Amino acid sequence: MGDTGGSRGVREYQRVAAYAVCVDGDRLLLARWIGRTGKPDGARWTLPGGGLNHGEHPERAAVREVAEETGLAVEITGLLGVDSIREFWAPDSTDFHGLRIIYAGRVLGGELRPESGGSTDLAAWVALAEVAELPRTRLVDVALGLARAAPWPA
């Protein structure tokens, strides 16, 4: 979560985020990411989650983000893994590094609803068999792979 101002005009940006894989039977909880544009054009499904606030514990961030993006209360049941991505964003010469902490979560309650005014515009339970057909972020596939490899049910 910092801009370190790299050399040769490249802006270095690092973001730490936490996500929850919530499975209910044969369904996976997803949120539709619309990014910074706020428009559904090019929207992709992702896990509910997002960036940590300064000083915030990653588990707490995952719980908060799931509530913000889906309306559901969750508890974290385990750490599935950490994913690291690095991308170069050409329009503004940004060297982006993302650290994504992926937890297993269990829904405790709440009412499924979309986020208002955020980076997602829909929340849904999606059949696991249908996830592969959705326009989705790579994070979904990474997280499902980690969940399948977990020694305990996610």
Side-chain angles (χ1 to χ4, degrees), residues 2-121:
D3 177 354
T4 61
S7 62
R8 298 185 299 259
V10 173
R11 177 179 169 258
E12 295 175 344
Y13 177 66
Q14 187 173 53
R15 180 174 185 261
V16 180
Y19 300 86
V21 176
C22 299
V23 176
D24 179 28
D26 66 346
R27 305 178 308 161
L28 174 66
L29 182 62
L30 294 175
R32 191 171 75 167
W33 182 72
I34 55 174
R36 298 176 209 32
T37 66
K39 299 176 187 172
D41 297 347
R44 295 178 293 159
W45 290 93
T46 192
L47 294 178
L52 276 64
N53 293 325
H54 182 79
E56 185 176 32
H57 191 282
E59 285 186 19
R60 178 68 195 117
V63 168
R64 175 183 53 77
E65 285 283 346
V66 171
E68 287 176 7
E69 294 181 355
T70 70
L72 300 176
V74 300
E75 72 174 342
I76 299 302
T77 59
L79 174 66
L80 294 174
V82 177
D83 184 49
S84 177
I85 61 169
R86 191 167 179 191
E87 301 172 344
F88 184 75
W89 299 341
D92 63 357
S93 297
T94 297
D95 179 357
F96 172 76
H97 179 216
L99 290 173
R100 303 180 304 184
I101 303 164
I102 304 166
Y103 292 103
R106 184 170 64 91
V107 174
L108 300 174
E111 187 171 323
L112 186 66
R113 53 110 183 110
E115 181 178 25
S116 177
S119 61
T120 64
D121 70 343

